């Protein structure tokens, strides 16, 4: 397993653990992380479902780089 793939797997697990710990009212459907070697960043996207809101699904995505996490629209 490459270092980038390992880092992506760890980041995904940290995201899942954080959401489960701090927002137990939602369910995470998926977390996708892609490494962009050329600019040393990671694309992160995930989907969450709000069971208390008739299972409303929200997709979130952004770019993680040296400056932090920047959401995309």
């Amino acid at each position: 397993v490459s270092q980038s793939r390992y880092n992506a797997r760890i980041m995904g697990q940290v995201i899942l653990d954080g959401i489960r710990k701090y927002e137990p009212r939602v369910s995470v459907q998926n977390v996708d992380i892609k490494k962009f070697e050329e600019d040393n960043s990671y694309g992160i996207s995930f989907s969450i479902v709000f069971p208390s809101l008739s299972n409303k699904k929200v997709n979130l995505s952004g770019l993680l780089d040296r400056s932090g996490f920047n959401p995309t629209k």
Side-chain angles (χ1 to χ4, degrees), residues 8-9 11-12 15-16 28-36 42-47 59-62 69:
R9 190 176 302 159
M11 281 190 277
I15 290 169
L16 282 172
V28 179
Q29 279 196 322
N30 69 311
V31 176
D32 294 312
I33 300 178
K34 182 178 180 184
K35 171 70 173 158
F36 297 114
Y42 289 88
I44 301 174
S45 62
F46 56 98
S47 300
N59 299 310
L60 304 165
S61 61
F69 183 75

Side-chain angles (χ1 to χ4, degrees), residues 10-45:
I10 295 298
M11 281 190 277
Q13 191 60 54
V14 169
I15 290 169
L16 282 172
D17 292 347
I19 292 172
R20 288 178 181 147
K21 181 177 181 179
Y22 295 107
E23 192 47 77
R25 297 171 293 179
V26 302
S27 174
V28 179
Q29 279 196 322
N30 69 311
V31 176
D32 294 312
I33 300 178
K34 182 178 180 184
K35 171 70 173 158
F36 297 114
E37 297 283 344
E38 63 278 358
D39 60 358
N40 201 27
S41 63
Y42 289 88
I44 301 174
S45 62

